[in-house]
Amino acid sequence: MSVKIEYHKFDVVVVGAGGAGLNAAQVASQYCKTAVISEVYPTRSHTISAQGGISAALGNLEEDHWHWHMYDTVKGSDYLCDQDAAEYMTKQAPEMIIALEHIGLPFSRTPEGKIAQRPFGGHTAEFGKRAVKRACYAADRTGHAMLQTLYEKSVAQGTHFYSEFYALELLVNDGAVNGVLCFDIQNGELHIFNAKAVVFATGGNCRIFQTNSNAHINTGDGLALAMRKGFSWSDAEFFQFHPTGIYGAGNLITEGVRGEGGILLNAQGERFMERYAPTIKDLAPRDIVSRSMTKEVLEGRGVGQFKDHTLLKIDHIGAANIMEKLPGIHELALVFAGVDCTKEPIPVNPTAHYQNGGIPTGYLSQVIKGNMEKEEFVPGFFAAGECASASVHGANRLGTNSLLDLVVFGRTAGEQAAKYAMANSIVSLKDDAGSEGLANLQKYANANGKYTFGEIWGELTRTMQTKMGVFRTEKLMKECYSTLLELEAKMDDYRVNDKSSVYNLDLIEALELNNMILVAKACTQAAILRKESRGGHFRDDYPDRDDVNFLKHTEVYLEEDCKTPRVDYRKVRLQPLTVETFPPKARVY
Amino acid sequence: MTTVTFEIFRYDPDKDKEPYYQTYKVELRRPGYLMLDALNQIKWEQDPTLTYRRSCREGVCGSDGLNVNGVNMLSCMTKVEDLGADHIVVQPLPGMNVMRDLVVDVDDFFNKFIAVKPYLIRKSPNPDKEIYQSPEDRKKLDGLYECILCGCCSSSCPSFWADKKYLGPNAALRAWRYIVDSRDEGAEERLPILNDKHGVWRCHTIYNCVEACPKELNPTEAIMNIRKMLLDQQV
Ligand SMILES: Cc1cc2nc3c(=O)[nH]c(=O)nc-3n(C[C@H](O)[C@H](O)[C@H](O)COP(=O)(O)OP(=O)(O)OC[C@H]3O[C@@H](n4cnc5c(N)ncnc54)[C@H](O)[C@@H]3O)c2cc1C
Ligand code: SF4
Ligand code: SF4
Ligand code: FES
């Protein structure tokens, strides 16, 4: 069958238009011809939803230091992050925030007119002594303010946008990444972008869980595309379950609520976090708070008809304060919980929120391919943001460190990709470039079998929720994996009802579902093999951290069949760039 | 369980000569069931060909502006029960070209937004630190920067329908967001664009846009402020 494909040539192609992708693009555009590909209009990327803030040791309200921030990041990660990347990110943070302010980001302000800062979970002064005000914010719409500002800056910078383009295949020739195959959602046409450097910034994948805080489009496409080409997903088993999802809906209530004085209560009206984290209480890192809440429920102290959740109380800080600093939360609580939070507490439960791992990179955002014995950078391939793993989050990300990760590693990816593009000539396309992505597209476009999106996605997310959630065991995870295999088989008997060439969302959902199943299998397999508890990965059957056997990154590759996960490992970079290593210690708060 | 009838605008240019309406029954499965839940119920359980945009599902990305029983709104933030009707007519945003079903062409809308130079323009050199801005000056951006680019306003505006080149309420709101920013020095570059015959003078202050805005913003006020600034500058 002959298919019409339109070809484009760029120096740099960025896939993804969230905070990471746009910052990479606006920087790369200053040096060379850069395109951004996004399955939604840029301002509709998930970064728009980020609420509470972005961390940086600016010290605008009290003394702070990047080294303290680095310590918190390393400890928060349960010592699985790469300490060179943690140093790089926290050291660049203050200057990065200033750069964002200079291009217009409307930060909230202190009385003197400086950028305002609030406390956030796990961020402390003097290496754990007390909570510190480190999160810079624009009310509770920080991601919104950031994403729109970066979009506007990219527009001013002349970035070429391809919106509502869906990436189908990462193109590789002789070990070098040289482009992407895309599908124009608006008219069904195919495009191949041949580029000197490709930056992946495709965001996260928490749509594989039933209760999640993520947008519809967070389906892990970037991971699936990279894995199918022989690259790995680092630390796949680590997800972040954010403590305060709205009960029943999963939508997020920012940790900024607790930063502003909100507290968690059980059925007895007890502020239970005082028991689990005596020093920083409700502002303990997310993995710890989520587990504590789940424990309260399991021990019979949950609230509501089914005693299955807890309460987040904020009314005591006063309605005026809430409306000024947390207006978006007030609206979300009204719509999704039917609660006026200036008067009553919000019912909350942990919600799948963030993918801690990702495509592995060095601290300069170059994608790494490797194992315990050796590793190398992949020519022409860079990654940043939630889809990547530098790694600054390790086993558990601190709140506000994601937005920072996006902009710091986004900028670095943009700079490095531009530099690479200017120093190297374009690698030509293979004769059959795009054939795999095309075959997969045609498989689903012509799928006339039995199963449709609703039923398979429903079962996928319910299974992941109950068997790969806050508490895990070998037995549950193995059950999970066999269900995933059944679902995968069903994808061969799938039906796409919609045959239109125009905005065929039924077809896009099929492609995303296919990716979600692959991604779910990969992380479940990684979780089964990590026989310890660390950060967001907690096992009832191995409740302790095991640094002797597991202080290493998981790397999930695919076998030759492009379906079966093969779990390998890679060394953690414990050596920072200039300071001393923070050696692993017990994690108490 | 309450069941509600949805009558939805359908059009697939690949096979339909004319648009038509298709009827579906939707179960309201819990209190506070949202319009987006209803559309998803149809798509995932009854008719996978129904096509609409959605992303964040919490009223911040601006993907899912729709016209429901004659009023523009976001499907993800609208409770079906609040519509107070058991027969619900869903149409794409008016005044924009329909691509398919409930999906409209928004390129023109975004291009107009870009036309007003929606970014900080500075002539003075930047300080090493942040550019200081007092809380009072920062407050002037409230009610302006929260725009989610959903298009509900421009799509409800009779002037936007009548004059294809009219910038529309959204672009004016964004221009004003930058003009009033104490850090910005680009008013001179933006005002001539707004002063054009397809600029702010096209507005007939009918306030449709204000009513349509799901974020309760006030583009008309921004337009009035821009006009006042233009008039003041003439003298
Ligand atoms: C409700 C909520 C609140 C949050 N609050 C905070 C906070 O206060 N502070 C903080 O630090 N972090 C926060 N986070 C986390 C943070 O927002 C995200 O981790 C971050 O925005 C991810 O950004 P990104 O640039 O990596 O990707 P995204 O913003 O998710 O963008 C991904 C991009 O990739 C594109 N894409 C994906 N697949 C394809 C494909 N196949 N083809 C083409 N394009 C594709 C999409 O179109 C999109 O443009 C929050 C998250 C949520 C859910
Ligand atoms: S007030 Fe002006 S901009 Fe708003 S709808 Fe009316 S004519 Fe349009
Ligand atoms: S002003 Fe309101 S209606 Fe118009 S695009 Fe912005 S948020 Fe939407
Ligand atoms: S889906 Fe994002 S605003 Fe409704």
Side-chain angles (χ1 to χ4, degrees):
Chain A
M1 174 182 172
S2 80
V3 188
K4 201 176 135 269
I5 300 181
E6 195 179 325
Y7 290 84
H8 310 259
K9 269 199 169 106
F10 280 92
D11 292 314
V12 176
V13 164
V14 179
V15 184
L22 289 183
N23 210 25
Q26 67 96 354
V27 170
S29 297
Q30 298 176 19
Y31 303 100
C32 55
K33 195 176 159 202
T34 303
V36 171
I37 288 156
S38 170
E39 68 172 296
V40 293
Y41 281 84
T43 54
R44 297 170 176 181
S45 302
H46 185 54
T47 299
I48 203 80
S49 294
Q51 302 170 350
I54 170 166
S55 52
L58 285 175
N60 278 356
L61 289 145
E62 55 186 321
E63 192 188 351
D64 201 2
H65 197 287
W66 69 261
H67 199 204
W68 301 345
H69 186 185
M70 176 184 166
Y71 168 81
D72 293 335
T73 302
V74 173
K75 181 177 173 189
S77 80
D78 222 344
Y79 299 91
L80 194 65
C81 77
D82 292 307
Q83 299 199 16
D84 55 352
E87 173 175 344
Y88 182 81
M89 179 180 82
T90 53
K91 215 188 225 173
Q92 291 213 4
E95 180 249 318
M96 188 71 238
I97 298 294
I98 300 300
L100 290 171
E101 197 276 339
H102 286 174
I103 62 169
L105 204 156
F107 284 111
S108 297
R109 300 287 170 154
T110 67
E112 310 98 295
K114 297 184 193 169
I115 294 169
Q117 298 188 279
R118 56 163 65 120
F120 240 80
H123 289 280
T124 69
E126 289 185 71
F127 311 105
K129 285 220 177 95
R130 56 183 182 278
V132 72
K133 294 185 176 122
R134 185 178 289 149
C136 311
Y137 59 94
D140 55 3
R141 303 190 176 98
T142 315
H144 171 277
M146 175 197 276
L147 189 67
Q148 289 198 353
T149 306
L150 288 173
Y151 172 60
E152 295 167 343
K153 174 71 179 160
S154 320
V155 165
Q157 213 61 63
T159 305
H160 300 258
F161 284 100
Y162 294 87
S163 297
E164 302 198 326
F165 270 51
Y166 183 80
L168 295 169
E169 184 187 340
L170 175 67
L171 305 178
V172 184
N173 192 359
D174 200 18
V177 166
N178 67 343
V180 262
L181 168 73
C182 295
F183 175 76
D184 183 344
I185 301 176
Q186 296 184 355
N187 57 26
E189 286 169 10
L190 291 161
H191 296 255
I192 281 186
F193 292 81
N194 185 194
K196 293 180 185 166
V198 173
V199 178
F200 259 32
T202 51
N205 64 10
C206 284
R207 289 301 281 183
I208 59 176
F209 292 93
Q210 186 179 32
T211 299
N212 69 75
S213 67
N214 278 203
H216 279 267
I217 57 173
N218 289 6
T219 54
D221 292 336
L223 296 171
L225 262 55
M227 283 196 290
R228 288 201 189 98
K229 287 294 161 146
F231 304 112
S232 63
W233 174 9
S234 190
D235 297 335
E237 62 275 42
F238 296 100
F239 288 91
Q240 177 161 85
F241 298 92
H242 190 293
T244 54
I246 297 178
Y247 176 64
N251 298 57
L252 194 79
I253 297 295
T254 173
E255 196 171 283
V257 168
R258 281 170 285 139
E260 296 294 348
I263 52 173
L264 288 161
L265 301 176
N266 62 19
Q268 293 152 6
E270 181 205 7
R271 186 180 179 187
F272 57 85
M273 281 313 298
E274 289 182 330
R275 265 188 284 122
Y276 296 95
T279 311
I280 52 177
K281 306 181 177 96
D282 300 89
L283 285 175
R286 294 175 178 174
D287 55 334
I288 295 176
V289 181
S290 285
R291 272 198 295 282
S292 309
M293 290 165 70
T294 309
K295 263 209 175 117
E296 289 300 298
V297 167
L298 291 174
E299 289 170 10
R301 292 187 293 276
V303 303
Q305 191 187 355
F306 305 105
K307 292 182 174 304
D308 60 351
H309 59 283
T310 55
L311 295 173
L312 176 63
K313 177 177 151 57
I314 183 68
D315 57 296
H316 53 278
I317 72 162
N321 221 349
I322 292 177
M323 295 317 285
E324 181 183 333
K325 291 182 178 153
L326 305 162
I329 291 307
H330 183 256
E331 187 186 11
L332 289 180
L334 264 184
V335 173
F336 293 96
V339 156
D340 176 353
C341 68
T342 62
K343 301 198 176 85
E344 324 155 66
I346 309 167
V348 290
N349 233 0
T351 183
H353 181 56
Y354 186 82
Q355 156 204 320
N356 288 304
I359 302 168
T361 73
Y363 72 91
L364 294 179
S365 305
Q366 326 92 315
V367 172
I368 291 174
K369 193 168 173 174
N371 54 31
M372 290 304 268
E373 281 73 50
K374 70 171 214 250
E375 44 185 86
E376 58 197 16
F377 295 132
V378 181
F381 197 18
F382 302 83
E386 191 167 338
C387 79
S389 186
S391 149
V392 285
H393 310 307
N396 172 64
R397 166 176 78 85
L398 292 188
T400 69
N401 263 0
S402 168
L403 289 185
L404 180 62
D405 163 5
L406 307 185
V407 286
V408 168
F409 293 106
R411 177 170 73 180
T412 300
E415 281 166 2
Q416 294 296 320
K419 216 165 137 185
Y420 184 89
M422 290 186 296
N424 291 279
S425 50
I426 202 156
V427 175
S428 61
L429 296 166
K430 278 210 291 204
D431 291 343
D432 63 346
S435 57
E436 290 165 29
L438 186 60
N440 194 43
L441 177 75
Q442 284 170 342
K443 169 180 170 183
Y444 288 106
N446 301 321
N448 288 316
K450 193 159 122 209
Y451 301 101
T452 56
F453 181 83
E455 50 194 315
I456 297 191
W457 183 65
E459 195 174 346
L460 166 72
T461 55
R462 276 192 303 277
T463 307
M464 291 299 288
Q465 186 74 23
T466 48
K467 300 185 170 163
M468 268 284 286
V470 178
F471 288 102
R472 299 171 173 172
T473 65
E474 174 125 357
K475 179 170 170 288
L476 285 178
M477 291 188 289
K478 286 199 162 149
E479 286 169 16
C480 181
Y481 196 80
S482 38
T483 307
L484 294 172
L485 289 178
E486 285 163 26
L487 294 178
E488 181 177 69
K490 287 183 179 170
M491 289 308 285
D492 289 333
D493 190 11
Y494 194 81
R495 186 172 78 246
V496 170
N497 284 40
D498 198 335
K499 302 295 177 198
S500 178
S501 65
V502 182
Y503 222 94
N504 190 337
L505 206 58
D506 193 19
L507 176 57
I508 296 294
E509 283 188 336
L511 298 167
E512 289 180 331
L513 182 58
N514 187 46
N515 289 342
M516 282 193 274
I517 291 175
L518 181 71
V519 159
K521 278 173 56 187
C523 63
T524 305
Q525 193 60 27
I528 292 171
L529 293 175
R530 187 174 279 273
K531 297 185 176 175
E532 65 157 354
S533 289
R534 185 187 294 269
H537 173 66
F538 192 91
R539 294 189 55 159
D540 275 333
D541 44 0
Y542 297 93
D544 299 316
R545 196 174 80 194
D546 174 0
D547 288 332
V548 175
N549 295 302
F550 286 105
L551 185 57
K552 55 186 180 185
H553 294 301
T554 304
E555 298 297 340
V556 191
Y557 291 91
L558 296 182
E559 299 283 7
E560 287 283 299
D561 64 1
C562 259
K563 277 179 166 181
T564 311
R566 174 174 66 79
V567 176
D568 208 332
Y569 297 91
R570 192 170 53 89
K571 288 184 188 130
V572 175
R573 303 192 301 268
L574 291 169
Q575 183 62 51
L577 297 170
T578 62
V579 293
E580 277 175 30
T581 299
F582 290 113
K585 279 200 192 132
R587 209 165 139 247
V588 282
Y589 285 92
Chain B
M1 203 181 309
T2 324
T3 304
V4 174
T5 306
F6 273 63
E7 200 180 323
I8 303 183
F9 179 99
R10 300 296 313 267
Y11 175 62
D12 174 359
D14 269 2
K15 62 180 181 57
D16 304 324
K17 280 209 193 74
E18 294 285 327
Y20 62 99
Y21 286 82
Q22 190 166 355
T23 304
Y24 303 91
K25 296 265 182 231
V26 172
E27 292 174 350
L28 304 188
R29 294 183 179 156
R30 51 178 170 78
Y33 207 70
L34 298 161
M35 282 292 298
L36 180 57
D37 295 327
L39 294 175
N40 287 341
Q41 187 184 122
I42 297 170
K43 185 165 185 70
W44 293 339
E45 297 173 25
Q46 302 176 37
D47 182 358
T49 68
L50 180 67
T51 304
Y52 48 95
R53 286 194 180 100
R54 75 283 175 280
S55 179
C56 72
R57 74 197 169 98
E58 54 184 29
V60 287
C61 77
S63 294
D64 60 336
L66 291 175
N67 184 277
V68 182
N69 285 351
V71 182
N72 289 355
M73 53 186 78
L74 300 176
S75 74
C76 65
M77 294 297 274
T78 305
K79 295 179 180 175
V80 179
E81 67 214 24
D82 288 352
L83 298 169
D86 53 16
H87 186 99
I88 291 164
V89 182
V90 188
Q91 294 171 290
L93 284 180
M96 299 188 176
N97 292 332
V98 176
M99 276 197 308
R100 165 118 193 243
D101 293 354
L102 301 173
V103 174
V104 293
D105 187 341
V106 291
D107 279 343
D108 173 62
F109 171 78
F110 272 99
N111 288 339
K112 286 171 173 168
F113 161 84
I114 288 166
V116 300
K117 306 199 171 185
Y119 35 81
L120 205 63
I121 300 175
R122 300 246 326 153
K123 314 228 153 93
S124 333
N126 284 326
D128 295 343
K129 292 182 167 285
E130 64 261 60
I131 308 165
Y132 280 21
Q133 181 171 54
S134 69
E136 297 71 48
D137 280 339
R138 171 60 183 74
K139 224 181 176 73
K140 291 182 189 152
L141 308 183
D142 286 345
L144 301 172
Y145 87 98
E146 301 91 328
C147 170
I148 60 171
L149 298 171
C150 66
C152 286
C153 54
S154 297
S155 147
S156 74
C157 168
S159 304
F160 197 83
W161 304 337
D163 175 3
K164 292 285 161 228
K165 290 191 178 153
Y166 173 39
L167 287 173
N170 163 271
L173 183 87
R174 183 59 56 128
W176 188 241
R177 174 251 174 275
Y178 278 102
I179 291 171
V180 296
D181 192 319
S182 61
R183 302 168 294 173
D184 186 77
E185 297 163 348
E188 288 152 42
E189 290 182 39
R190 290 188 198 96
L191 287 173
I193 303 169
L194 296 159
N195 199 19
D196 184 88
K197 68 177 191 299
H198 304 290
V200 289
W201 306 107
R202 279 283 149 165
C203 166
H204 299 295
T205 54
I206 316 169
Y207 288 93
N208 282 15
C209 54
V210 180
E211 264 170 53
C213 177
K215 296 277 120 180
E216 298 176 15
L217 309 180
N218 192 333
T220 315
E221 196 184 333
I223 290 171
M224 310 276 265
N225 286 331
I226 293 169
R227 285 181 179 178
K228 186 164 176 304
M229 192 174 251
L230 286 168
L231 292 173
D232 287 350
Q233 286 209 335
Q234 271 171 9
V235 273

